[in-house]
């Protein structure tokens, strides 16, 4: 067993894990963070995307022990004070989900993308979420939602929503 | 699937990593960014007894200028390479090719050294290192040695790295002011290159004075398209001359046939993509 000390969605944890434990399994099975999903066995689908020290990663392709000392943000940690993150709001508003399985990973990758590029054009959104697959092929509305979120997150764009919830490390 | 059991060590220095590697014996495996190794472990295509994680060795990360070279630590992630001003200015081909690797999440974790040491002939960066005549610095118990990219790639997933050795840094000569382009052909998002061509050319007054061309996934290692290079030098950077030179792109190749493409299709692609890449680089 190896020890992992990690901050997940603002809470500190210290746990013993087998070195072979994947970060996604640690999050889901030891911490109960089942908002982060497993969609494939090939590192392609991106459903398990979380932020590790502020950068999006596929948590099926990271060992839990590699996250020792790190800060992890999952889909469960992006809403603040009962308010959804603007990207979550936009996915709702633009009907950017059908079955919803890809949604947690899509949202985490979209937040990462908008941290890097606050005003992406359609092509840049599609490139930015290249690592996330929607099995319903609902990409049209996902792209619209990411661009809608970009507008909503512009400084001064929305008086009533308040500032976008920060994520670990502030994106990139 | 869940990987087979293994022990895990995270050394804090290259010297400690070499010691761990020696103690780990034949079954020890180095973990760099893990974006190839962890999927392989998950599919149980590999079952090492011990994993040596280089992620805690600060000296292996970073990009610096050293005279007429740009030196990249083996554990420098793709994400950093793509955005680095020194790389963009002096080794632009590397920045552009790296931006085509996999997807954003993978580029946050994957490393240049990990990719080169993995030596998948479908990987994009081997052809770049080969074409640009990079040197690879390898550390072992008896000190460090430097090998050229040409000597580093030995065979399918096989490099000049010996037992107990670790790739520590990659040294690229500066190609300041050269034109360059990486032309990659694949069918879907995230897919490996069916074929890709890495090109850097120096153009003086409309004439190509120097050329470097590397091919991805056209053999068991990255391949230097020496025939194309020779045919380009001294030619005008015109579409006709470039297309004629690109006809040499299959010389010395041994294209694989697999589910993505048959060998003869890859050979066709190599010529077409070489033409496109040189045109873009010289443009």
């Amino acid at each position: 067993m190896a020890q992992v000390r990690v901050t997940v969605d603002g809470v500190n944890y210290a746990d013993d894990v087998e070195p072979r434990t994947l970060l996604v399994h640690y999050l889901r099975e030891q911490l109960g963070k089942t908002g982060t999903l497993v969609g494939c066995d090939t590192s392609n689908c991106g459903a398990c995307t979380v932020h590790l020290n502020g950068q999006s990663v596929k948590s099926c392709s990271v060992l839990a022990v590699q996250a020792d000392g790190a800060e992890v943000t999952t889909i469960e940690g992006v809403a603040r004070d009962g308010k959804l993150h603007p990207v979550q709001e936009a996915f709702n508003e633009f009907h950017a989900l059908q079955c919803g399985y890809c949604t947690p990973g899509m949202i985490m990758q979209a937040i990462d993308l908008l941290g890097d590029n606050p005003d992406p054009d359609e092509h840049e959104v599609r490139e930015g979420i290249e690592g996330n697959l929607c099995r319903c092929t609902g990409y049209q509305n996902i792209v619209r939602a990411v661009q809608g979120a970009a507008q909503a997150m512009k400084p001064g764009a929305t008086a009533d929503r308040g500032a976008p919830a920060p994520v670990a490390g502030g994106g990139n | 699937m869940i990987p087979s059991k293994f022990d895990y060590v995270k050394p804090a220095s290259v010297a400690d990593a070499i010691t761990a590697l020696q103690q780990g014996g034949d079954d020890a495996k180095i973990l760099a960014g893990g974006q190839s190794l962890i999927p392989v472990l998950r599919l149980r295509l590999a079952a090492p007894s011990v994993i040596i994680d280089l992620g805690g060795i600060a000296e292996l990360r970073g990009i610096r200028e050293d005279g007429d070279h740009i030196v990249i630590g083996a554990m420098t992630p793709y994400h950093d390479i793509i955005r680095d001003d020194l790389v963009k200015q002096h080794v632009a081909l590397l920045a552009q090719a790296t931006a085509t690797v996999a997807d954003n999440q993978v580029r946050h974790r994957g490393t240049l050294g990990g990719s080169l040491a993995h030596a998948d002939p479908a990987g994009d960066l081997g052809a770049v290192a080969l074409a640009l005549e990079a040197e690879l610095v390898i550390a072992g118990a008896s000190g460090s040695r430097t090998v050229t990219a040409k000597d580093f790639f030995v065979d399918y997933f096989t490099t000049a790295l010996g037992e107990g050795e670790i790739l520590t840094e990659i040294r690229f000569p500066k190609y300041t002011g050269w034109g360059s382009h990486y032309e990659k052909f694949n069918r879907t998002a995230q897919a490996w290159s069916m074929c890709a061509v890495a090109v850097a050319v120096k153009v003086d007054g409309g004439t190509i004075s120097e050329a470097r061309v590397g091919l991805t996934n056209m053999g068991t290692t990255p391949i230097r398209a020496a025939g194309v290079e020779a045919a380009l030098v001294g030619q005008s950077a015109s579409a006709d001359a470039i297309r004629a030179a690109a006809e040499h792109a299959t010389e010395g190749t041994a294209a694989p046939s697999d589910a993505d493409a048959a060998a003869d299709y890859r050979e066709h692609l190599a010529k077409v993509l070489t033409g496109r890449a040189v045109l873009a680089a010289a443009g």
Side-chain angles (χ1 to χ4, degrees):
Chain A
M1 299 293 261
Q3 196 179 56
V4 57
R5 290 175 180 274
V6 63
T7 303
V8 181
D9 296 337
V11 178
N12 297 325
Y13 298 90
D15 282 303
D16 289 328
V17 297
E18 278 194 275
R20 63 175 172 168
T21 305
L22 303 173
L23 179 59
V24 67
H25 291 144
Y26 172 68
L27 293 172
R28 288 177 54 84
E29 291 164 22
Q30 260 179 277
L31 305 188
K33 294 274 182 183
T34 51
T36 300
L37 302 181
V38 178
C40 73
D41 213 8
T42 54
S43 309
N44 290 106
C45 82
C48 66
T49 299
V50 301
H51 294 183
L52 182 62
N53 288 333
Q55 292 187 322
S56 61
V57 301
K58 293 179 172 177
S59 59
C60 71
S61 299
V62 179
L63 302 174
V65 285
Q66 289 181 285
D68 185 43
E71 194 169 334
V72 176
T73 303
T74 78
I75 188 67
E76 297 185 31
V78 296
R80 285 286 187 280
D81 304 325
K83 281 188 175 177
L84 293 178
H85 189 282
V87 177
Q88 292 175 303
E89 288 275 12
F91 269 61
N92 180 9
E93 189 179 335
F94 289 85
H95 193 66
L97 63 159
Q98 293 177 43
C99 84
Y101 205 91
C102 73
T103 308
M106 280 286 183
I107 288 175
M108 296 311 289
Q109 180 52 30
I111 293 172
D112 183 280
L113 166 66
L114 295 176
D116 222 17
N117 179 357
D119 191 18
D121 63 26
E122 181 188 334
H123 178 72
E124 289 168 334
V125 173
R126 288 180 184 274
E127 289 281 318
I129 59 170
E130 180 184 10
N132 296 72
L133 304 179
C134 168
R135 65 186 181 182
C136 310
T137 69
Y139 296 103
Q140 298 289 351
N141 284 354
I142 291 171
V143 173
R144 287 188 190 115
V146 176
Q147 291 193 280
Q151 296 308 310
M153 288 167 73
K154 278 186 180 170
T158 49
D160 60 339
R161 262 189 206 131
V167 294
N172 294 298
Chain B
M1 285 196 294
I2 293 168
S4 297
K5 284 192 180 184
F6 51 78
D7 292 329
Y8 173 84
V9 291
K10 191 174 185 181
S13 70
V14 171
D16 288 350
I18 290 166
T19 303
L21 201 49
Q22 288 172 323
Q23 289 169 349
D26 287 350
D27 284 344
K29 190 77 189 162
I30 290 174
L31 175 63
Q35 301 303 288
S36 294
L37 178 60
I38 293 175
V40 161
L41 293 175
R42 243 178 22 228
L43 295 170
R44 298 209 175 191
L45 297 173
S49 57
V50 56
I51 293 272
I52 300 161
D53 181 1
L54 303 186
I57 307 178
E59 65 193 282
L60 289 179
R61 284 176 80 122
I63 299 166
R64 63 189 165 85
E65 196 168 15
D66 180 15
D68 51 8
H69 283 75
I70 300 298
V71 183
I72 302 178
M75 285 291 288
T76 308
Y78 298 141
H79 179 84
D80 295 4
I81 291 169
I82 295 164
R83 284 160 181 74
D84 186 83
D85 287 336
L86 285 172
V87 175
K88 285 193 282 192
Q89 186 184 350
H90 301 294
V91 204
L93 178 62
L94 177 66
Q96 191 215 341
T98 304
T100 73
V101 174
D103 55 55
N104 273 290
Q105 290 97 315
V106 169
R107 292 193 293 269
H108 283 142
R109 299 288 298 169
T111 64
L112 176 61
S115 168
L116 297 179
H118 186 52
D120 186 334
D124 294 295
L125 305 180
V128 174
L130 185 65
L132 297 184
E133 299 179 347
E135 296 170 336
L136 294 93
V137 182
I138 295 169
S142 55
S144 104
R145 65 190 180 105
T146 300
V147 301
T148 62
K150 180 174 177 288
D151 291 334
F152 183 77
F153 297 107
V154 174
D155 202 350
Y156 198 61
F157 295 107
T158 307
T159 69
L161 282 165
E163 267 187 44
E165 289 190 321
I166 292 171
L167 176 60
T168 56
E169 60 186 28
I170 301 96
R171 299 171 58 85
F172 284 92
K174 288 181 182 171
Y175 288 86
T176 322
W178 287 48
S180 66
H181 187 75
Y182 189 69
E183 184 75 17
K184 175 169 176 169
F185 193 87
N186 57 13
R187 292 181 305 143
T188 59
Q190 306 176 31
W192 294 94
S193 291
M194 287 160 62
C195 173
V197 184
V199 170
V201 289
K202 193 173 184 187
V203 182
D204 292 316
T207 301
I208 296 172
S209 58
E210 292 192 72
R212 307 274 190 275
V213 183
L215 305 174
T216 299
N217 214 1
M218 287 298 289
T220 57
T221 64
I223 288 176
R224 181 92 178 253
V228 177
E229 295 177 1
L232 285 172
V233 171
Q235 298 293 316
S236 72
S238 69
D240 285 346
I242 288 169
R243 278 196 204 97
E247 287 298 308
H248 297 273
T250 53
E251 291 171 10
T253 63
S257 282
D258 55 29
D260 286 330
D264 59 347
Y265 180 50
R266 279 200 165 88
E267 288 168 359
H268 169 74
L269 284 175
K271 293 178 184 176
V272 173
L273 301 180
T274 296
R276 287 183 194 167
V278 177
L279 266 177

